[in-house]
Amino acid sequence: MSSVVSHGYRIGTNPRTVKAFAAGRTCAEPGCRTTLSIYNSNDLCFVHKRPGRPPRNRATRLAEHSVQGGAMR
Ligand SMILES: [Zn+2]
């Protein structure tokens, strides 16, 4: 059974009703000039909002999708 909700509605993350924020905002981290997405409610860019963790890029997500529960890490 899939964990995806069948009626296509996820609380707070529905892409059709997602809130948009002011365009042109930049990361709050001093010295970081990364422009934030209008869909990013965080004040920090993806690099700085999770200290100590590597950014989750598409390759990481694909790896997580392909790795099953008992796979080697
Ligand atoms: Zn940043």
Side-chain angles (χ1 to χ4, degrees), residues 27 29 32 34 44-45 47-48:
C27 177
E29 180 76 12
C32 180
T34 300
L44 297 172
C45 71
V47 173
H48 291 119

Side-chain angles (χ1 to χ4, degrees), residues 3 8 11 16 22 33 35-36 58 62 70:
S3 62
I11 296 171
R16 292 182 186 174
R33 303 180 70 171
T35 301
L36 302 178
R58 181 154 50 150
L62 288 174

Side-chain angles (χ1 to χ4, degrees), residues 9-11 13 25 28-29 33 38-39 41 43 45 48-49 59 61 68 70:
Y9 178 77
R10 292 191 301 163
I11 296 171
T13 56
R25 295 175 306 139
E29 180 76 12
R33 303 180 70 171
I38 62 173
Y39 302 113
S41 63
D43 287 336
C45 71
H48 291 119
K49 74 180 180 181
R61 288 186 198 165
Q68 298 300 316

Side-chain angles (χ1 to χ4, degrees), residues 4 25 50:
V4 177
R25 295 175 306 139
R50 288 181 176 243

